[in-house]
Amino acid sequence: MSSGTRRIVVASAALLLAACSAPAESADDRVDVTVTTTHAADLVRAVGGEHVDVTALMGPGVDPHLYRASQGDVRALADADLVVYHGLFLEGRMEEVLEAGALERVVALTDALPTEELLASADYPGQHDPHVWFDPELWVQVVPPLVEELSLVAPEHAEDFAAGGQAYVTEALAAHAEATALLDAVPDHARLLVTSHDAFGYFGRAYGLEVRGVQGLSTEDEAGVADIRRLVDLLVEREVPALFTESSVSPASITAVREAAADRGWTVHVPEEGLYSDALGEPGTPAGTYAGMLLANAELVARALGAQ
C-alpha cells in the first residue's frame, strides 16, 4: 500500500471514529465557529453543514501573512463556540492572539499533520511551509480532528459531521485525480512553475513540477535583483512559456521578471487570471471551494505551460 493510500485510509477511519467519540458538552442550535482563512471557512462549512454558523475573519483576496486582527475580530474570536485557524505561522502575528490561552476551544488545523510530511522553510530555520492545502493527500488529514472537535461541541450532530467530513475528503481526492491528469500532460521542458511567492511547494511535490517563487514563503519577503536575474536565466534556458501571478499577492514581482526576460529576448506569457494561493475565490463561484480552487489552478497551469 502506498503512503498516499495509507493516509487516505487513516483519514477515512478517523472520520468514522470521530462520530462515535464521547461528548464533552452540549451546544444549543448551531455551533458558532470563527475561522481565520477562506480555506478553513470552506472546510468548516462542508463538515458542519446546517449545524454551524461560520464567521470568517479573512475573505477572498486577503493575504493571511499580512493580516492584522481588529477589535471586531477579537470579539468574534471570544464569542465563538469554536475557533479554527490554520497554523504553521500562516496567519503571521495573529497567531499570538490565537495561542495566548484566553480562548476556550481553539483548533489549529495543521497540528494534525505529521511533521515528516511537511516541507521545511528555506527562509525560516526550524519552521515549515504552511501552504499544505496544495497537497490534497496531506490536506485531507486535517479533516478528522475537525470532525472530532465539532462532535465534542455538538455531539447530537456527530454523525452528520462525520458524513460531511467524508464527503469533503471524497471531493478533494476526486479533484486531485483530475488535477493530476491535467498536469501530467505538461511537457518536460516546461514543468517549471514560477509564481509571485513561494506558496506552491506542496503543489509541485504533488504534481511533479519544479516550483520557484519570486518572493519567499511569506509575502513580507522581498525579491532582490539577484533573485530576479537567476529566475530569468532559468526561464530563458528552459524556454518556459509562462509566469503566474496570484489572487492575493501584488503582481509587481512577476511583472519585473517578465520585463527582465523581455530584455534578454525571451517573451514569457502572464495569464490574465491569477492562481489562487493563500485564499480561495469568491463564495458561490467554482473556485470558492477547495476542490474548485485546486482544479482552477491545475487547469490554468496546464494550459499556460502547453499541456499536450
Side-chain angles (χ1 to χ4, degrees), residues 128-170:
H128 295 99
D129 183 343
H131 305 90
V132 294
W133 55 83
F134 282 130
D135 181 345
E137 291 187 355
L138 183 61
W139 178 244
V140 296
Q141 295 181 63
V142 309
V143 179
L146 175 63
V147 170
E148 182 177 3
E149 199 66 35
L150 284 170
S151 299
L152 292 173
V153 178
E156 66 274 21
H157 302 309
E159 291 186 3
D160 289 342
F161 296 147
Q166 188 59 67
Y168 181 93
V169 170
T170 299

Side-chain angles (χ1 to χ4, degrees), residues 228-247:
I228 293 176
R229 184 181 299 117
R230 283 192 293 268
L231 268 180
V232 170
D233 289 343
L234 194 59
L235 291 171
V236 173
E237 176 186 346
R238 298 268 293 272
E239 297 184 347
V240 176
L243 303 172
F244 300 89
T245 59
E246 301 174 31
S247 62

Side-chain angles (χ1 to χ4, degrees), residues 61-93:
V62 173
D63 182 353
H65 297 290
L66 304 179
Y67 193 80
R68 299 292 182 269
S70 67
Q71 288 187 345
D73 293 341
V74 174
R75 191 178 309 114
L77 292 168
D79 291 344
D81 298 316
L82 177 65
V83 173
V84 178
Y85 72 104
H86 184 82
L88 295 178
F89 297 100
L90 178 73
E91 290 92 348
R93 296 191 182 99

Side-chain angles (χ1 to χ4, degrees), residues 21 25 40 54 83 109 131 191 200 213 269 275 307-308:
S21 60
E25 58 181 277
V54 179
V83 173
L109 292 171
H131 305 90
R191 300 186 70 82
F200 288 83
H269 173 60
L275 294 172
Q308 298 172 347

